[in-house]
Amino acid sequence: MLKILQDLLELQAVDMRLQDVHARLAAFPKKIADAEARTAAAKAELERSKAAQLATVKDRKKYELDVEGWKEKVRKYKDQTSQIKTNEAYKALQHEVQMAEEQIAKAEDRLLEQMVSGEEYDRRIKISEKELKEVEEIVRGERSKIEAEKAEDEKALAELNIKRAAVVPRIPEKLMDHYDRIVKKHNGVALAEVRDEKCTACGMRVRPHVFQEMRRSNSEEMFHCETCTRILYYYEPASSAATASSATPSAPAGSLSNET
Ligand SMILES: [Zn+2]
């Protein structure tokens, strides 16, 4: 294979990994925002429970005042009893007392209801506080995991950039421009392997004389796919390449570790 093709393949391998790393890095802000949104939701739930609790306390105070107000009236009516002269007036006063006592009973009922719902809100606040703590704990764990992954990707990015900077100078500027154009056109993949005399990227058959030339071990020409324009490269299959042994032979997949 041409030396320059090997350089381009190295560049492509680096660029494809760079693409992955960039995609992962771009996804981190959303991952962090999602995690934080969960904490915010748990906090909002707690705030709602607290607000409801506060409203109950206000209502309770109001009903307590109501009860006190009506009790005060009953006391006044009863004080007036001694000054009453007629039976009618006495009956009327008795009626007022009865009405006031009914109001007291109603206000006390409402007060009791508020106390019951107050207990319910106390319970909800406790649950919300517990849930918030749990969510915060989980999110803290998630965040540190995300931060660790991010740091790893940033490290990989720096390493890949160094690798790329080492490969790029080996490629002539004109060819580099060409490579960049194909990369942009074809989703980051500028080179395509020829297998079974076909471009593996688009499936187009390679002309026989081109294929012959590509197989020549001392070929100096560079070929493009006529359809997708990608730069073509070819590895002689290991079985039919006893002479061209530049390709690394793959060790047979081990079945040795199996014990019966
Ligand atoms: Zn093609």
Side-chain angles (χ1 to χ4, degrees):
M1 188 190 284
L2 279 174
K3 173 74 179 66
I4 190 67
L5 270 179
Q6 286 170 18
D7 291 340
L8 281 171
L9 276 172
E10 203 180 326
L11 178 64
Q12 175 164 282
V14 169
D15 279 353
M16 285 172 83
R17 285 177 60 203
L18 272 171
Q19 264 187 20
D20 286 349
V21 170
H22 279 303
R24 278 203 302 275
L25 282 171
F28 283 120
K30 191 179 177 296
K31 277 189 186 173
I32 291 169
D34 284 351
E36 276 169 1
R38 291 177 61 197
T39 312
K43 272 186 187 154
E45 181 58 39
L46 177 60
E47 288 312 310
R48 269 196 295 278
S49 300
K50 281 185 177 169
Q53 170 72 300
L54 197 66
T56 313
V57 170
K58 272 188 191 163
D59 281 352
R60 202 188 299 169
K61 288 217 173 98
K62 181 181 170 291
Y63 297 137
E64 277 167 359
L65 287 174
D66 280 358
V67 170
E68 283 314 307
W70 287 109
K71 278 185 177 167
E72 183 59 34
K73 273 187 185 163
V74 169
R75 269 195 294 277
K76 272 187 192 158
Y77 294 146
K78 286 188 173 164
D79 286 348
Q80 289 166 23
T81 322
S82 56
Q83 297 147 34
I84 287 201
K85 308 277 187 284
T86 67
N87 220 9
E88 277 74 29
Y90 181 76
K91 269 188 185 164
L93 195 62
Q94 277 298 95
H95 182 69
E96 290 297 328
V97 169
Q98 199 185 332
M99 296 282 281
E101 276 169 349
E102 277 169 20
Q103 290 300 328
I104 290 170
K106 272 187 197 166
E108 277 175 343
D109 280 350
R110 284 196 294 258
L111 193 56
L112 191 66
E113 274 171 31
Q114 290 303 318
M115 283 166 115
V116 170
S117 54
E119 277 168 20
E120 170 61 19
Y121 289 126
D122 281 345
R123 203 177 60 83
R124 271 196 228 170
I125 287 172
K126 281 209 183 87
I127 292 172
S128 297
E129 278 171 346
K130 189 166 166 275
E131 278 175 355
L132 176 61
K133 255 188 202 154
E134 283 167 4
V135 168
E136 276 175 339
E137 183 71 34
I138 292 167
V139 168
R140 210 174 298 130
E142 275 177 7
R143 269 206 79 139
S144 62
K145 196 171 152 246
I146 292 169
E147 296 296 345
E149 284 171 1
K150 195 176 161 210
E152 214 164 277
D153 280 337
E154 274 162 356
K155 195 174 148 230
L157 178 68
E159 283 167 4
L160 286 167
N161 279 332
I162 290 168
K163 270 190 190 160
R164 195 176 202 275
V167 184
V168 168
R170 302 207 296 263
I171 297 159
E173 203 173 321
K174 225 177 140 191
L175 186 58
M176 197 62 221
D177 286 347
H178 183 61
Y179 170 90
D180 285 338
R181 263 201 308 279
I182 310 176
V183 159
K184 280 202 190 92
K185 195 170 148 195
H186 288 302
N187 254 337
V189 186
L191 281 88
E193 188 180 356
V194 170
R195 229 180 282 154
D196 299 328
E197 298 181 43
K198 283 184 208 152
C199 165
T200 50
C202 73
M204 190 63 188
R205 186 162 282 280
V206 177
R207 286 173 190 272
H209 74 273
V210 169
F211 187 60
Q212 282 305 316
E213 182 61 26
M214 286 187 84
R215 290 189 70 182
R216 253 179 6 101
S217 56
N218 56 349
S219 167
E220 302 236 324
E221 250 188 286
M222 191 188 267
F223 296 99
H224 291 78
C225 173
E226 287 179 27
T227 311
C228 70
T229 71
R230 286 190 180 89
I231 300 161
L232 296 173
Y233 63 94
Y234 177 73
Y235 287 119
E236 195 71 33
S239 56
S240 68
T243 46
S245 58
S246 61
T248 49
S250 55
S255 57
L256 299 170
S257 59
N258 277 354
E259 279 173 39
T260 45

